[in-house]
Amino acid sequence: MTAALVCGAVVFPGLFFSFRKILKHTWTEWSDADVVSVSERLLSAVHASLATAAGVMVVSSCRDVMTDSHWLVNSFVLFGAPYMVFDIYALYLSHYHTERTRGGSRAPSGHSLHTVRAFLRRDWMLVLHHVALLLVFMPITLCFRRGLGDFFIGCLFITELSTPFVSIGKILIQLHLDDSKLHRINGLVVLLTFFTCRILLFPFMYWMYGRQFGIPLHRVAFHLPLQCNVGNLVLLAPQVYWFILLLKKAQRLYLRQRRQQGDKDRMKAD
């Protein structure tokens, strides 16, 4: 278990600084803000891809959703813990360099308590998500489950499937490809994977539990301890909120493209 923790502490910072160095030498016209932002997105995509792969392996190997166990569950939680810590730092670096690029004469001259507070105000939900995974999800997974429910932990790993596509979308914007067909297709994939793996996954877990114990889906919640239902609601609520934000963003993009197409049609008609 210690080896998994140490491995994560080496792999994720190493990947971030490698991405940063490669991007800086490949796109010499990019600012530090561009390089750090894309490096953080690539790191996020790598972690999410590994989490999804681990989740698929765990879910596919557990026949009994309560008692079957898989070594990857605890190992990957420990392996991913350093990522959660380091990604907060990487997000802060991205915020800091972005503010320096945008701020001109008012840009922060160095790291300070003010820049940290500004970062926490802007990205408080992501920071809270990472901290909650470290302080709540990790202790529950490692210490308080009594070896039960590896199937459901594997399902929660799979919620990361949409993250690489979210990162790809941000990178395409960075490359000024936000009006491209690739960006539109990626946006549709983001919506589909997010809705499937972060929202529909919760009723799927209830259905799988009910199927094993012969309980109709609409009765499963009444057969579970209150803390299980509350925990699932706490996990589901931000997913619904983020999905609504994604829908609003997709709507804005669609309306903007319609206006641009309308302008082009009018220019051709003139």
Side-chain angles (χ1 to χ4, degrees), residues 42-59:
L42 289 172
L43 182 68
S44 178
V46 169
H47 170 265
S49 300
L50 293 174
T52 302
V56 170
M57 291 178 66
V58 171
V59 168

Side-chain angles (χ1 to χ4, degrees), residues 20 23-24 27-39 94 97-102 174 176:
R20 195 172 172 182
L23 291 171
K24 196 167 186 177
W27 278 278
T28 55
E29 72 278 8
W30 277 10
S31 65
D32 287 337
D34 296 330
V35 170
V36 172
S37 177
V38 173
S39 298
S94 178
H97 286 291
T98 300
E99 290 301 305
R100 291 196 68 181
T101 301
R102 293 176 179 172
Q174 201 81 36
H176 306 292

Side-chain angles (χ1 to χ4, degrees), residues 16 40 62 109 140 151:
F16 176 78
E40 190 278 325
C62 292
S109 56
I140 290 174
F151 173 86

Side-chain angles (χ1 to χ4, degrees), residues 59-267:
V59 168
S60 61
S61 70
C62 292
R63 296 293 176 262
D64 188 303
V65 300
M66 290 302 299
T67 60
D68 282 358
S69 62
H70 197 289
W71 66 270
L72 257 179
V73 170
N74 289 351
S75 295
F76 190 82
V77 168
L78 286 168
F79 174 70
Y83 163 78
M84 297 299 167
V85 177
F86 186 80
D87 194 51
I88 294 175
Y89 170 71
L91 287 166
Y92 165 73
L93 275 185
S94 178
H95 166 81
Y96 172 75
H97 286 291
T98 300
E99 290 301 305
R100 291 196 68 181
T101 301
R102 293 176 179 172
S105 59
R106 296 181 300 168
S109 56
H111 301 283
S112 67
L113 189 59
H114 173 74
T115 59
V116 173
R117 284 201 300 263
F119 160 66
L120 292 175
R121 281 196 300 269
R122 193 192 72 171
D123 290 325
W124 67 272
M125 282 201 70
L126 278 173
V127 174
L128 180 63
H129 173 262
H130 284 19
V131 171
L133 288 175
L134 284 169
L135 301 183
V136 179
F137 178 75
M138 187 169 76
I140 290 174
T141 301
L142 297 177
C143 305
F144 300 114
R145 292 186 304 117
R146 304 189 304 276
L148 299 174
D150 281 25
F151 173 86
F152 300 110
I153 302 299
C155 288
L156 294 178
F157 288 166
I158 295 175
T159 61
E160 292 292 331
L161 178 60
S162 62
T163 302
F165 301 105
V166 173
S167 296
I168 289 170
K170 297 288 186 181
I171 293 171
L172 290 174
I173 292 173
Q174 201 81 36
L175 295 170
H176 306 292
L177 295 173
D178 44 320
D179 287 326
S180 66
K181 185 176 181 180
L182 178 60
H183 185 259
R184 291 193 291 272
I185 293 173
N186 184 75
L188 291 174
V189 175
V190 168
L191 291 175
L192 179 62
T193 54
F194 197 100
F195 182 70
T196 303
C197 296
R198 288 183 178 256
I199 296 178
L200 286 185
L201 190 70
F202 286 89
F204 168 75
M205 290 191 290
Y206 276 64
W207 177 74
M208 287 294 292
Y209 180 91
R211 190 182 75 161
Q212 178 163 317
F213 295 101
I215 305 169
L217 177 60
H218 66 281
R219 299 292 303 171
V220 170
F222 299 101
H223 287 260
L224 293 174
L226 178 62
Q227 61 267 27
C228 291
N229 292 314
V230 172
N232 283 328
L233 284 174
V234 169
L235 291 172
L236 180 59
Q239 314 307 326
V240 174
Y241 172 75
W242 283 325
F243 185 66
I244 292 172
L245 292 182
L246 287 172
L247 287 175
K248 289 180 177 178
K249 182 178 179 181
Q251 183 185 36
R252 289 195 301 269
L253 179 62
Y254 173 73
L255 293 175
R256 188 186 73 183
Q257 290 174 345
R258 283 196 62 181
R259 285 195 299 269
Q260 290 175 346
Q261 186 62 44
D263 293 340
K264 290 179 181 177
D265 291 343
R266 282 192 293 270
M267 289 177 64

